[in-house]
Amino acid sequence: MECGPALPDSLVLEIFLRLPHDAVLRAGQTCRQWLAVSRDEFLWRELFYSYYRIPRCVPRHPAAVSWYREFKRLFDCIPCVEVQTLREHSDQVLHLAFSHRGHRFSSCSKDCTVKLWDTERPDGNISLVHSSSMRQFNWGYTQFSQFNADDSLLLVSGVYLGPHHSSSGEIAVISLENYTLLSRVRNKPYDVFGCWLNETHLISGNLHWIGNMTSCSVLWLNKAFQDIESENVNVVKRLFKIQNINASTIRTVMVAHCRRHDNPDLLLDYEAQSQARRQKGLQQQQHQPLLFDLGTSGSEEEDEEEDEEDERQREAKSRSITSARIPQPTISGLEHVLHSCKNVGQMELGIETQVAQMMGRLHTKAPDPSFNEPSEPSEGEDKTYLLFTTGSLTYSPHQIGIKLIKPDQMTTSGPVLGEERSSEEFFDSLDHVIDIHGHIIGMGLSPDHRYLYVNSRAWPAGCVISDPMAPPPIAEEIDLHVIDLKSLREERRSLRAHRAFTPNDECFFIFLDVSRDFVASGAEDKHGYIWDRHYNICLARLAHDDVVNSVAFSPADQELLLSASDDSTIKVWRSPRMVRLAQAPARPPRPRSLLPSWLSRNKNSSSAGSVNGKP
């Protein structure tokens, strides 16, 4: 339709700049002139920055075609509409994991089951495919699961209520072809969780206490199929043996296959980049990553079987389940330290730490010199990192440890245990450590394994830790850090939208997930959260009735998100765009036109009854 006397485009634009975006879209339906003005790039640039409250120094996403389409992407493609609630679990749901194809996902719960779900039903709903209970193996509950690279096997991690109940766990491998149990592996402490290294080998942990606050973490490589042909075939191999001091232990292991990306999939620290352009090199000095080398830090004595047996007996007597999330102890091994330190003074504990550090310098294998060497373009191998949480100042996990895994360590075949070390090298050193300066409560990798996202609750600025058993108070706000695994640089992104309330000794892991464009996390405030990776803004809050423990994007479609909660439910979220498409009536089949087919048949019959075009 056409209006009366037309206003100048510039005046219409000035009016539209003072309207909300939905009013602009409605006004664009009035006439052709207003429609053209309502699609103006300058208009949508202003609406974009004002509506999403993004600093204007942040540029538009490099893949964006226009400001209008970018506004629409953030508004219409966020999985924030609840479309289904799954109630098959009878207790708190702790973890969710998608298959790499996105056609299945698994869930772990305090009801001690792992369940498999189908996401490819014709009606769009998600349905339960299989459920396995682990109580027959004396598990307390299942806490984590992960599909291997070809989606043929499922790793399930749980808390084992056996002889050394409160910190021991176990890992089970289930075949997804017939849902049979293939193998079980000890995992201690339970919050190592475990992970796949490749399609057929997984990583587990073990812990040996050496002193009151000194321990040794051993990370093992295990073959998923343990039905070996002969006794000469290894099914397990020690990867690393690392000393822990000040009551810390290694937890939350994950593997990053870091490919050589010359072009990052998102831009970070725009303020720092713009300042660097203005102040040539000054920014380089100001923005140093919190990265330091622990190549000379160390170890203590070797662990023997009889020492391990004594340690088991101490644990069985001293540990009790006191967490607020009954029956899950939140800081594994903490009861052992508290019991051991009751009759030991601070001076003796300090001397133990000093002796452990001194012995570590003498008996620790040198760090890998190839860790910081850049890969040559001609090299076909990508670096593989083992990532885990650890600490050096207190028992709460406050550092990210990184170890380079070499190609010859990718399989259980090779030298027998200990042959790769000299008799004086009891422990492996960490290749790098990144200090988060707070209690780490979650980690997740971007789909390309280029970036590591870390949930943490910050310590007060400038705090000094004098007692390892008395870490600083932690903030209620959860910070989300981004670490570039190519440059090993920490890019701080303090989002502070989600919150947690438990103290240091009751903190539990909140799983987060990262898609191509978004990052999502649970929180203790009964909500899940979604942020945009590029613009660093919170886009949606996903409501539950209790703590949200885990979120997971579908790798096949980032507009599908799942969230798991202590309210025993799994909620399915889709984007407004996908909901509209699902609700739209199916298009009727296009009627076949008779005229073209009749003309075609008539032409063919004429040609068949003639020679050289003549009858």
Side-chain angles (χ1 to χ4, degrees):
M1 99 181 242
E2 296 294 341
C3 300
L7 295 173
D9 288 353
S10 58
L11 181 56
V12 177
L13 179 62
E14 285 295 327
I15 296 173
F16 283 4
L17 285 170
R18 288 159 174 78
L19 298 178
H21 71 278
D22 53 346
V24 170
L25 292 174
R26 289 195 300 269
Q29 301 175 2
T30 304
C31 64
R32 294 177 181 174
Q33 180 202 16
W34 286 19
L35 176 62
V37 176
S38 70
R39 293 296 186 267
D40 184 85
E41 276 293 278
F42 175 78
L43 168 65
W44 283 101
R45 178 180 182 274
E46 296 302 309
L47 290 174
F48 183 87
Y49 281 116
S50 61
Y51 181 81
Y52 293 110
R53 300 180 181 179
I54 299 172
R56 292 181 180 269
C57 58
V58 179
R60 192 175 70 189
H61 194 289
V65 177
S66 68
W67 287 105
Y68 170 75
R69 288 181 179 273
E70 189 67 351
F71 190 106
K72 187 176 180 181
R73 178 183 72 85
L74 295 186
F75 191 86
D76 213 27
C77 299
I78 309 301
C80 58
V81 180
E82 180 183 343
V83 296
Q84 191 177 358
T85 301
L86 308 175
R87 305 181 184 276
E88 279 77 358
H89 281 291
S90 60
D91 208 335
Q92 302 167 352
V93 188
L94 302 180
H95 184 253
L96 301 167
F98 266 102
S99 63
H100 293 81
R101 285 173 46 201
H103 67 302
R104 296 278 192 274
F105 75 86
S106 58
S107 58
C108 295
S109 169
K110 284 286 188 70
D111 63 14
C112 205
T113 66
V114 55
K115 298 184 186 297
L116 287 165
W117 310 79
D118 180 18
T119 65
E120 292 185 339
R121 284 171 51 101
D123 60 2
N125 288 325
I126 291 174
S127 62
L128 181 65
V129 174
H130 178 76
S131 178
S132 293
S133 174
M134 306 303 289
R135 291 202 186 278
Q136 59 182 314
F137 306 112
N138 207 24
W139 285 26
Y141 54 90
T142 58
Q143 60 173 352
F144 175 83
S145 60
Q146 186 181 47
F147 291 80
N148 70 339
D150 63 1
D151 294 335
S152 62
L153 303 174
L154 182 68
L155 176 154
V156 183
S157 174
V159 175
Y160 180 62
L161 298 180
H164 14 79
H165 63 275
S166 84
S167 80
S168 290
E170 196 169 60
I171 296 173
V173 178
I174 297 175
S175 169
L176 296 180
E177 181 179 357
N178 51 17
Y179 306 115
T180 57
L181 180 66
L182 299 180
S183 59
R184 291 162 55 201
V185 177
R186 182 185 180 188
N187 189 43
K188 182 181 179 182
Y190 62 85
D191 47 7
V192 169
F193 292 117
C195 65
W196 290 104
L197 176 60
N198 50 43
E199 291 183 359
T200 56
H201 292 81
L202 59 104
I203 296 175
S204 65
N206 204 351
L207 180 67
H208 309 279
W209 286 101
I210 301 173
N212 294 307
M213 293 196 302
T214 307
S215 63
C216 167
S217 290
V218 183
L219 298 174
W220 296 89
L221 182 64
N222 308 270
K223 194 173 182 180
F225 305 94
Q226 309 242 331
D227 50 341
I228 59 174
E229 299 85 6
S230 74
E231 61 183 11
N232 297 321
V233 178
N234 291 335
V235 295
V236 63
K237 179 180 180 179
R238 186 173 65 195
L239 277 179
F240 305 113
K241 183 178 179 183
I242 299 169
Q243 182 205 36
N244 308 304
I245 60 174
N246 287 328
S248 65
T249 62
I250 286 178
R251 305 180 176 95
T252 319
V253 298
M254 60 176 56
V255 172
H257 301 283
C258 300
R259 295 160 179 84
R260 298 182 299 275
H261 293 290
D262 294 327
N263 298 315
D265 61 351
L266 81 160
L267 303 176
L268 300 173
D269 272 4
Y270 306 104
E271 294 83 0
Q273 293 176 15
S274 61
Q275 186 175 353
R277 286 193 293 268
R278 294 191 301 267
Q279 301 183 8
K280 306 258 176 171
L282 177 60
Q283 185 66 28
Q284 293 290 336
Q285 300 174 4
Q286 295 176 343
H287 193 92
Q288 291 295 328
L290 297 177
L291 181 66
F292 53 95
D293 193 351
L294 283 192
T296 56
S297 68
S299 86
E300 224 264 332
E301 255 292 27
E302 184 67 36
D303 44 85
E304 300 293 341
E305 287 299 323
E306 53 268 24
D307 296 334
E308 182 179 349
E309 185 62 32
D310 292 341
E311 176 258 336
R312 291 176 185 173
Q313 296 174 2
R314 287 200 307 270
E315 287 177 349
K317 294 178 181 178
S318 64
R319 292 181 179 171
S320 60
I321 300 172
T322 58
S323 169
R325 290 163 57 83
I326 296 175
Q328 177 185 4
T330 51
I331 301 295
S332 61
L334 185 57
E335 292 87 352
H336 163 83
V337 180
L338 293 173
H339 177 79
S340 300
C341 295
K342 282 182 179 178
N343 300 320
V344 181
Q346 288 296 322
M347 181 177 296
E348 288 82 357
L349 295 177
I351 293 174
E352 177 187 320
T353 299
Q354 294 177 10
V355 171
Q357 291 174 330
M358 179 183 66
M359 296 296 293
R361 284 190 288 270
L362 297 174
H363 300 289
T364 299
K365 186 178 180 180
D368 191 340
S370 64
F371 183 82
N372 291 317
E373 293 178 1
S375 300
E376 296 296 331
S378 59
E379 294 181 4
E381 296 174 350
D382 297 325
K383 287 186 176 180
T384 299
Y385 292 149
L386 181 64
L387 312 174
F388 46 84
T389 62
T390 183
S392 61
L393 304 175
T394 179
Y395 66 82
S396 64
H398 57 276
Q399 295 171 332
I400 305 295
I402 304 177
K403 283 292 293 181
L404 177 66
I405 301 179
K406 295 182 178 180
D408 60 354
Q409 295 175 307
M410 296 288 186
T411 175
T412 52
S413 61
V416 297
L417 302 182
E419 277 191 1
E420 67 278 9
R421 295 177 179 82
S422 71
S423 58
E424 295 297 320
E425 293 175 339
F426 296 154
F427 299 99
D428 295 287
S429 61
L430 302 185
D431 292 324
H432 276 289
V433 168
I434 299 176
D435 198 297
I436 300 299
H437 195 75
H439 192 126
I440 298 171
I441 61 171
M443 296 198 303
L445 285 165
S446 63
D448 59 2
H449 288 201
R450 169 71 186 272
Y451 296 97
L452 176 68
Y453 286 74
V454 180
N455 267 338
S456 77
R457 296 173 61 184
W459 291 337
C463 65
V464 177
I465 300 176
S466 56
D467 182 3
M469 299 311 298
I474 50 180
E476 289 187 354
E477 298 85 0
I478 301 175
D479 291 346
L480 188 57
H481 307 270
V482 184
I483 298 171
D484 186 346
L485 294 179
K486 180 180 179 181
S487 62
L488 297 177
R489 229 182 122 89
E490 180 183 356
E491 307 289 351
R492 288 193 176 274
R493 314 291 293 287
S494 298
L495 303 179
R496 289 183 177 270
H498 48 331
R499 300 172 71 86
F501 310 105
T502 50
N504 264 304
D505 57 349
E506 295 181 8
C507 269
F508 51 87
F509 212 73
I510 294 178
F511 295 94
L512 55 91
D513 196 26
V514 188
S515 70
R516 183 192 64 205
D517 296 319
F518 310 124
V519 55
S521 174
E524 290 184 46
D525 58 10
K526 303 181 182 180
H527 287 85
Y529 291 83
I530 304 175
W531 298 270
D532 184 81
R533 292 178 61 192
H534 179 78
Y535 300 110
N536 189 25
I537 55 172
C538 184
L539 296 171
R541 298 172 75 237
L542 314 175
H544 272 269
D545 295 330
D546 210 327
V547 173
V548 178
N549 296 306
S550 178
V551 291
F553 287 101
S554 168
D557 179 11
Q558 66 175 355
E559 295 181 43
L560 169 62
L561 177 73
L562 308 171
S563 58
S565 171
D566 278 359
D567 61 16
S568 305
T569 67
I570 301 171
K571 289 191 176 183
V572 183
W573 309 84
R574 294 190 185 270
S575 66
R577 184 181 74 89
M578 294 302 296
V579 172
R580 284 199 311 273
L581 291 176
Q583 295 174 348
R587 291 185 178 181
R590 186 175 180 180
R592 185 177 179 184
S593 177
L594 297 179
L595 182 60
S597 61
W598 178 83
L599 291 174
S600 176
R601 287 200 306 271
N602 187 46
K603 182 178 179 180
N604 293 337
S605 62
S606 301
S607 301
S610 64
V611 178
N612 295 329
K614 296 180 181 180

